[in-house]
Amino acid sequence: MFIPTPLSEQLRASADDPLRVLIVGAGIAGTTAAQLHRARGLEPVLVDRVSSFDNAGYMLALMPMVDAAIDDLGVRDAYVQASTHIDRYRVLDHHGSTLREDSLGAILSDFGDYRGISRAALLDVLTTSGAPVSLETTVRSLSDGTESAHVRFDSPDGPNEATFDAVIIADGIHSHTRRFVPGGAKPSETITGWGGWVVWTDADADTDLGEEMWGNGFFVGSYPVAGAVGAFIGGPRDDTAVGPVAFVDSIRSRLTSHTPRLERVLDAVTAAEDPFYWVLDDVRARPWASGRTVLLGDAAAGFLPTAGIGAGMAMESAWVLTGVLADAVSTDVGAALTAYEAEQRPRVESAQSNSRQLARLMFRRSTLLAHVRNIAMRLMTIEAALGPIKKLLQKPARIPEVTAVVD
């Protein structure tokens, strides 16, 4: 669990660390990095601008690239208990009829499990041993020097400042702190023009099934987690502006068939009082590393959810980053962060490109193109669609060697 902690207390705890590390953002990437550092005996300072984690939930699908971090943290049992195995994947056409159903287990079994988990549950798993965090805390300025990075904070305790050997910026796709690194103020951004609502419904008998309906101007995806099904219902933002009830009514009017899961998900949207609206966009920042500062997770490369791999890549990246810093001293940090970026960015951007390609296939408005897509989907294998991701799993991430800086 997260342990809300005054910033001054965290700063005192980290003052004598052999490597003083600041992590900005207590999402999946930042929390994974913080906990891996703690597992190696450090006391990283973890801050987040939010006031609480009460609304930390949406659904995630995690591929086996997370296993190294999960195992190094010693939370395998907690992870399995809090998640569910996803084995099957079903695609419906724009009328609600089944186009195909495939076994993900057959594709991924050589590498490990594909598991569904809520974001809140994953954060609970990652913080099983406890995670001090300073809430409502932001970085006001960051000066990256040759001997240390000097950071000024705003927090509930008032202004504060400290020096660090390494600063990890992991405060999300709309990062406030990214502006302190070169090129971080306006990273390249791809926006689909789509958005939609996240809702939850009770678990059904198909606890291993992910189901998606690829419509003509709408999309409905539902994914199992432990004890529930999380769903996303969306379309072009101009169309969703009518609100969830009217938008769902427009979807229903085009259906000639439906599965029990689809019907329950659409009912859940119309019943929800104030469902969370998720704008589908992504970000690709360059460079990641600059001096003693590095971008991690969505702050470096924010994913569209179409390939179900963004959170997995964030955790893998955190594992590589903390591994490359594990034996570093202050003078090695710049070289370590450069080595990390050279190793990990091609993997992340390959997975991100796959998500973008799938988005171009899924998010179509034209009925004619939807018919063409249906024909292609009957011929395409899921293995071919996930080919780039399978290649990543076949060649797992590694921690690169770092050439130490000699004075």
Side-chain angles (χ1 to χ4, degrees), residues 5 17 83 98 119 148 172 176 181 207 255 306 316 364 392:
T5 305
D17 274 2
S83 61
T98 299
R119 183 175 184 269
S148 65
H176 290 193
V181 302
T207 58
L255 299 182
T306 46
E316 178 190 277
R364 291 291 188 181
L392 293 177

Side-chain angles (χ1 to χ4, degrees), residues 121-136:
L122 178 57
L123 288 172
D124 284 344
V125 168
L126 294 173
T127 59
T128 297
S129 61
V133 60
S134 299
L135 301 176
E136 298 181 85

